[in-house]
């Protein structure tokens, strides 16, 4: 049989109220908070409303800007109508008016970089969501997209151009 002050083997257990006198004072408060806590800790109406999750976790508009090596074209990531990040190029002097998408994909592009010739953009894309990254090269003028490297079991550790 089991009694409240003893363990099953008959050894006297430690009485929490005698060992910790603060527990006598806190126990009623904990009981009140447990029973009425929802009503006592209600959010005041005078506080500003919460920020919606969509605002906090949505894709950024016009992020990761890069200017071509010759300084004539600005490229950045911008979400399309579906919310996928794609590379957009524009004239640096009027970037908001002359923008055009050079990539269109079913998944977002996370990394891109100008090639040394300032005519191509290199970007990584995970086409199927299987983390098999494919390195693409897109011609900015013609928007011709060429797969440089990719396929089964491929991965790209880093890519860069030497601008000396």
């Amino acid at each position: 049989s089991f009694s409240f002050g003893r363990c099953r083997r008959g050894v006297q257990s430690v009485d929490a109220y005698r060992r910790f006198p603060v527990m006598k004072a806190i126990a009623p408060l904990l009981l009140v908070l447990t029973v009425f806590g929802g009503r006592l800790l209600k959010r005041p109406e005078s506080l500003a409303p919460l920020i919606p999750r969509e605002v906090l976790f949505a894709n950024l508009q016009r992020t990761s800007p890069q200017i071509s090596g010759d300084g004539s074209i600005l490229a950045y990531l911008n979400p399309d109508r579906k919310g996928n990040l794609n590379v957009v190029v524009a004239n640096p002097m009027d970037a908001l008016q002359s923008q055009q998408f050079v990539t269109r994909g079913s998944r977002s592009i996370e990394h891109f970089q100008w090639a040394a010739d300032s005519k191509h953009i290199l970007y990584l894309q995970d086409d199927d969501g299987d983390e098999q990254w494919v390195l693409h090269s897109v011609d900015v003028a013609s928007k011709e997209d060429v797969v440089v490297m990719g396929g089964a079991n491929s991965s790209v550790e880093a890519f860069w151009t030497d601008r000396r």
Side-chain angles (χ1 to χ4, degrees):
S1 74
F2 181 78
S3 65
F4 193 32
R6 300 181 168 271
C7 295
R8 289 183 188 222
R9 295 185 182 163
V11 180
Q12 181 69 31
S13 65
V14 177
D15 186 7
Y17 289 116
R18 274 189 271 150
R19 179 122 187 244
F20 303 106
V22 177
M23 289 292 288
K24 277 186 175 179
I26 293 177
L29 178 63
L30 290 175
L31 179 66
V32 169
L33 284 177
T34 304
V35 174
F36 302 106
R39 289 182 231 142
L40 294 176
L41 301 175
K42 195 181 238 183
R43 189 168 188 267
E45 300 298 328
S46 62
L47 291 178
L50 294 175
I51 300 172
R53 287 188 178 126
E54 295 81 25
V55 173
L56 290 175
F57 298 111
N59 284 331
L60 297 174
Q61 302 285 322
R62 294 183 286 279
T63 184
S64 303
Q66 295 183 24
I67 295 183
S68 62
D70 62 3
S72 64
I73 304 172
L74 171 69
Y76 54 90
L77 294 175
N78 200 28
D80 59 9
R81 290 186 181 127
K82 296 178 185 175
N84 296 322
L85 289 175
N86 284 292
V87 179
V88 176
V89 294
N91 181 343
M93 296 304 161
D94 61 347
L96 296 179
Q97 300 299 323
S98 64
Q99 64 186 7
Q100 56 180 303
F101 284 94
V102 293
T103 60
R104 292 270 183 205
S106 59
R107 299 183 67 84
S108 289
I109 295 171
E110 298 178 14
H111 310 286
F112 78 95
Q113 186 166 341
W114 282 99
D117 64 359
S118 297
K119 296 178 183 177
H120 293 85
I121 292 177
L122 303 171
Y123 67 93
L124 292 171
Q125 191 168 30
D126 178 16
D127 293 327
D128 299 323
D130 55 2
E131 296 188 10
Q132 299 296 320
W133 296 94
V134 179
L135 179 62
H136 294 260
S137 173
V138 63
D139 186 337
V140 174
S142 67
K143 298 182 185 172
E144 180 184 356
D145 195 333
V146 177
V147 174
V148 176
M149 185 185 80
N153 298 323
S154 67
S155 66
V156 176
E157 296 297 325
F159 66 96
W160 66 89
T161 57
D162 187 4
R163 295 187 178 173
R164 286 188 238 170

